[in-house]
Amino acid sequence: MKTRLTKFGGANLARFIRLVDKTSEHRFDPPDMQARFEAEHPAICACWHGQFMMLACSRPKGLKFAAMVARHGDAELIGEAMRRLDVELIRGAGAGGRRKDRGGAYALKASMSTLKGGSSVVVTADVPPGPARRAGIGIITLARLSGRPILPMAAATSRYHSLNTWSRLTLNLPYSKLGFAMGDPIFVPRDAPAEELERLRQLLEDSLNETTLRAYALAGADADRATPAGARDPEAPAAEPGFGLKAYRAAMRVVQPAAPIVLRYRERQGKEVASRRSERYGQARIERPKGTLVWVHAASVGETNAILPVIAGLKAKRPDLKYLLTTGTVTSARLAEERLGDSAIHQFVPVDTPEFARRFVAHWRPDAAVFTESEIWPNLILETSALSIPLLLVNARMSKRSYSRWRKRPGMASPLFNRFKLVLAQNDRFGRWYSELGARRVQVAGNLKIDAPPLPVDLVAYDELISAAKDRRGYVAASTHPDEEEFIADAHRKIAAVYDGFLTIIAPRHPERGTAIAEMLKSKGLRVAQRSLQELPSASTDIYIADTIGELGTLYRLCPIALIGGSLVDKGGQNPIEAIRHGAAVMTGPHFYNFRDIYDALRIKGAVREVTTADDVAKAVIDLIGDESGLDALQKKGIAAVDELTGALDMTIAALIEALPGDEGGEKELDRAS
């Protein structure tokens, strides 16, 4: 059935392409393009993905032509259409950066054979799934090995529809002006060194962009609609807010009067600091420091812990810079105040209404704004951009759910992500996503949380806990979320049945939940001590609740095993690196997608125990405690895996140094002194 549908669809697509070709006015740039094409034949015809459907119509009559088409999804339909247009097919390319092998090696060999047989080969230079309009090295390799030139080519019609795909797949329409453009041939020497190959790759990318614009100009069409958001000119004005973004701004204006009510409620829950409420309104009691000010925003404890070494590294290289750090939670604010000292100013980030954001930015007037991870606050971004302040996003990540939501709202996504001067992504997948959503300059720098220094250890508290525990066996369940403590309580009973006097430590992600957790555990007949009440575990304590701030380092140092929370329930998991850096063996539940790259590396090394139920937790702990050599091996494997992932800090600092404003602050100080 699928094959019949593919043939039917491909046949009709081929008829449609012929209709566009026959009913449209052909224009060529250069005018003798077909003669030049024939002179270089057989050649490698390069085009951008999504812009290739009409290229078969650009060839001189009788010229043998082949197309590289992947073996998946919509490529089957396109392949069938190409075949009916008398285009030979080369199958198997299109793996991109994904692990699944889609026949790239076979496609390379087949393409070389096709060229040798006298057919030109059309290849999309940007490989699915992107990033769009970034030429891959594969096409350069094909030119190097085959000795045939690359011809940058493009086709465009005055009338077209552009689909919301990663490459803005373009459907050309009949009764148009049809423009064909071709760039100068690019030859790749067989013995070219790596540096020359990269130069030629960039030359191809630039030539394709220029050729594509010429094709649209020939057709008298707007090229911008067919250009993926992340591939637009970095110097061009950012996209204008769409309806969704305008609606969000209007809604935040409407709800702004309710901000004091919400903040008072959060203060009663311990989630806000009453004496600093004005900061949430964008009002500051501190003067802006003189000189060049860099504003850094981190959401919570994890992001703050990751960004503090970046600030320290920047200060070492640019002592002229001043720093403003904003965070959104009480715990992160306390951490910042403890570790920043007088090296930076800390403020709470304002509530994201247009007025509060405008007030905040107008007071601090930062020379650059550095956001971390997935902190996308629309009004803060728009108000910062309105003052021409460069925006940068570091350690960028995004959940699949968030990516899907943004994709459905291009009128919100593109105007926001367009405004970032630079996005430093944690991995290739996140980099592609940000590029698709509109970020125009994306680099992969790795995960800063891997390079973060070990969490601090309070040696006095450590000694007190060691003395109170009296050599009892135990482990820590760290950064737990609601409902996970139920798993841990059930697991504790099973472990304690094997190891008499076993001590479980729970460090909840949100310490204010400590009392509620204690009541739940007591209702199960467990004996509990609570650290926020200055209690220490006694000989009879079953579970010790460490409901305090900034003590995870001490707890990881204390316990040989750590269960990382947010993973037994669907919260995406928390950072395992902090535990590993203190030598703890790591366990995780099945939900660790927030840190998939890290956990994948740990799994490859056999450096993590995966658990799903309370029985799994109990069995893993019992096994590890009963096998000292196995526990030691798991701890060492974790450290080895993490060491192989380092490097993000240096790359991030280097990229920021290049992107941040020059040493104007120091120059201003010298001017004043003279």
Side-chain angles (χ1 to χ4, degrees):
M1 182 65 177
K2 184 176 181 181
T3 302
R4 288 200 298 270
L5 286 174
T6 299
K7 287 184 176 181
F8 176 78
N12 282 286
L13 180 57
R15 291 190 189 99
F16 188 79
I17 290 172
R18 287 196 182 98
L19 176 65
V20 175
D21 181 41
K22 290 179 180 178
T23 61
S24 297
E25 175 192 339
H26 290 213
R27 300 175 176 184
F28 294 93
D29 183 11
D32 61 344
M33 173 180 158
Q34 287 184 309
R36 294 192 187 194
F37 186 176
E38 195 165 5
E40 300 294 349
H41 176 78
I44 302 162
C45 306
C47 63
W48 287 135
H49 195 281
Q51 301 288 305
F52 56 84
M53 285 197 187
M54 300 305 301
L55 278 187
C57 303
S58 69
R59 58 181 164 167
K61 289 183 179 179
L63 206 70
K64 291 171 67 178
F65 205 60
M68 189 181 291
V69 180
R71 293 180 178 274
H72 63 94
D74 56 4
E76 293 290 346
L77 179 69
I78 293 167
E80 180 65 21
M82 293 296 103
R83 190 174 63 81
R84 290 173 182 269
L85 292 169
D86 299 320
V87 175
E88 181 184 348
L89 298 184
I90 300 170
R91 309 308 302 269
R98 297 178 287 201
R99 294 177 183 172
K100 187 174 181 180
D101 182 7
R102 295 198 172 169
Y106 169 81
L108 177 62
K109 292 178 183 177
S111 297
M112 291 179 62
S113 177
T114 301
L115 288 164
K116 190 174 181 179
S119 290
S120 288
V121 177
V122 62
V123 182
T124 56
D126 46 350
V127 182
R133 304 210 177 173
R134 177 170 175 79
I137 199 65
I139 192 170
I140 301 297
T141 301
L142 176 59
R144 181 178 68 83
L145 294 176
S146 67
R148 302 311 303 161
I150 301 173
L151 299 179
M153 300 181 73
T157 48
S158 54
R159 301 173 62 246
Y160 68 88
H161 285 307
S162 191
L163 307 181
N164 187 28
T165 64
W166 71 272
S167 63
R168 299 294 290 178
L169 180 65
T170 299
L171 181 63
N172 303 100
L173 299 177
Y175 304 100
S176 294
K177 295 180 180 68
L178 174 54
F180 294 109
M182 187 173 78
D184 293 332
I186 298 172
F187 291 88
V188 182
R190 193 174 184 88
D191 59 351
E195 296 80 5
E196 177 65 3
L197 294 177
E198 171 56 25
R199 186 189 73 79
L200 292 171
R201 188 204 65 78
Q202 187 61 56
L203 175 63
L204 172 61
E205 193 171 294
D206 295 341
S207 181
L208 270 175
N209 285 330
E210 188 269 337
T211 301
T212 302
L213 289 176
R214 282 197 286 127
Y216 276 90
L218 272 180
D222 176 16
D224 194 55
R225 285 195 299 116
T227 304
R232 290 173 184 154
D233 181 357
E235 304 305 320
E240 289 298 316
F243 173 78
L245 194 50
K246 291 177 180 177
Y248 171 83
R249 285 170 65 79
M252 292 307 293
R253 289 190 187 96
V254 171
V255 303
Q256 180 176 306
I261 300 170
V262 175
L263 291 172
R264 276 196 296 270
Y265 175 74
R266 287 174 55 83
E267 286 163 10
R268 290 195 294 271
Q269 292 183 311
K271 296 181 179 181
E272 298 285 344
V273 179
S275 62
R276 298 179 63 178
R277 189 195 300 174
S278 61
E279 294 173 25
R280 291 295 208 180
Y281 304 149
Q283 298 170 336
R285 299 176 182 175
I286 303 171
E287 289 297 316
R288 182 201 189 277
K290 296 179 180 179
T292 304
L293 179 66
V294 177
W295 165 34
V296 180
H297 174 60
S300 191
V301 172
E303 293 80 5
T304 303
N305 207 40
I307 205 66
L308 288 174
V310 175
I311 295 175
L314 289 174
K315 282 190 72 69
K317 292 181 179 293
R318 288 286 305 274
D320 60 295
L321 298 178
K322 307 295 190 301
Y323 294 91
L324 166 69
L325 174 65
T326 57
T327 64
T329 66
V330 172
T331 51
S332 58
R334 291 175 186 168
L335 174 64
E337 288 167 357
E338 288 172 5
R339 294 180 57 186
L340 277 176
D342 58 0
S343 64
I345 298 168
H346 175 268
Q347 295 278 281
F348 281 108
V349 70
V351 176
D352 194 46
T353 73
E355 181 181 341
F356 294 167
R358 192 177 305 121
R359 184 185 295 161
F360 172 88
V361 177
H363 174 81
W364 292 106
R365 302 186 315 282
D367 296 280
V370 181
F371 286 53
T372 62
E373 299 210 3
S374 53
E375 280 296 283
I376 307 300
W377 291 108
N379 287 313
L380 271 176
I381 290 171
L382 292 175
E383 296 300 336
T384 302
S385 177
L387 295 183
S388 300
I389 297 166
L391 282 154
L392 306 110
L393 182 63
V394 302
N395 214 38
R397 67 177 179 87
M398 183 178 293
S399 70
K400 189 172 183 179
R401 184 179 302 171
S402 294
Y403 166 69
S404 298
R405 288 174 178 171
W406 284 116
R407 276 296 303 272
K408 294 173 183 176
R409 298 172 176 84
M412 289 190 72
S414 185
L416 293 175
F417 295 109
N418 257 196
R419 282 169 163 75
F420 284 101
K421 177 181 179 181
L422 174 66
V423 173
L424 298 178
Q426 291 184 12
N427 58 38
D428 290 332
R429 182 175 74 259
F430 294 151
R432 286 197 306 272
W433 288 355
Y434 276 100
S435 180
E436 286 180 37
L437 294 173
R440 291 183 276 188
R441 185 182 167 206
V442 179
Q443 297 176 17
V444 176
N447 191 339
L448 283 173
K449 290 181 177 178
I450 296 171
D451 283 14
L455 295 175
V457 175
D458 184 332
L459 293 177
V460 173
Y462 176 79
D463 289 341
E464 287 179 348
L465 289 168
I466 283 285
S467 177
K470 299 185 186 301
D471 296 324
R472 295 170 65 186
R473 295 182 175 94
Y475 83 109
V476 59
S479 299
T480 59
H481 288 250
D483 296 332
E484 289 188 307
E485 292 86 11
E486 300 272 356
F487 283 87
I488 294 160
D490 293 342
H492 174 85
R493 291 190 182 280
K494 293 177 171 62
I495 301 168
V498 177
Y499 295 113
D500 188 45
F502 187 84
L503 177 65
T504 295
I505 300 176
I506 294 177
R509 175 71 173 166
H510 301 290
E512 65 271 13
R513 294 180 50 243
T515 299
I517 295 169
E519 293 303 316
M520 181 274 292
L521 295 172
K522 289 175 184 176
S523 71
K524 289 179 174 288
L526 294 167
R527 291 162 295 199
V528 177
Q530 211 170 327
R531 187 155 182 77
S532 63
L533 302 178
Q534 284 76 52
E535 297 173 348
L536 289 170
S538 68
S540 62
T541 301
D542 294 310
I543 296 182
Y544 186 51
I545 302 174
D547 52 344
T548 50
I549 294 169
E551 292 198 298
L552 264 183
T554 304
L555 299 175
Y556 287 142
R557 175 84 170 268
L558 182 73
C559 299
I561 304 168
L563 170 64
I564 308 302
S567 62
L568 290 171
V569 293
D570 190 8
K571 294 294 183 180
Q574 301 295 154
N575 182 13
I577 302 298
E578 297 165 342
I580 292 170
R581 288 291 189 205
H582 281 289
V586 164
M587 301 188 301
T588 180
H591 307 289
F592 50 75
Y593 49 80
N594 286 342
F595 297 89
R596 182 168 295 281
D597 286 352
I598 296 173
Y599 277 109
D600 283 348
L602 294 176
R603 293 164 86 187
I604 289 170
K605 290 283 187 181
V608 61
R609 288 288 295 265
E610 296 181 53
V611 295
T612 302
T613 65
D615 286 344
D616 293 340
V617 175
K619 185 178 186 306
V621 173
I622 290 168
D623 289 349
L624 289 171
I625 290 178
D627 180 8
E628 289 188 12
S629 62
L631 176 59
D632 181 65
L634 190 61
Q635 292 165 336
K636 288 178 178 177
K637 287 176 183 178
I639 292 170
V642 169
D643 286 344
E644 290 183 6
L645 296 173
T646 57
L649 180 60
D650 290 342
M651 290 183 66
T652 299
I653 291 172
L656 288 178
I657 287 292
E658 184 179 335
L660 289 174
D663 192 1
E664 297 174 3
E667 292 172 3
K668 290 175 184 176
E669 295 296 330
L670 289 173
D671 290 343
R672 279 194 288 270
S674 60

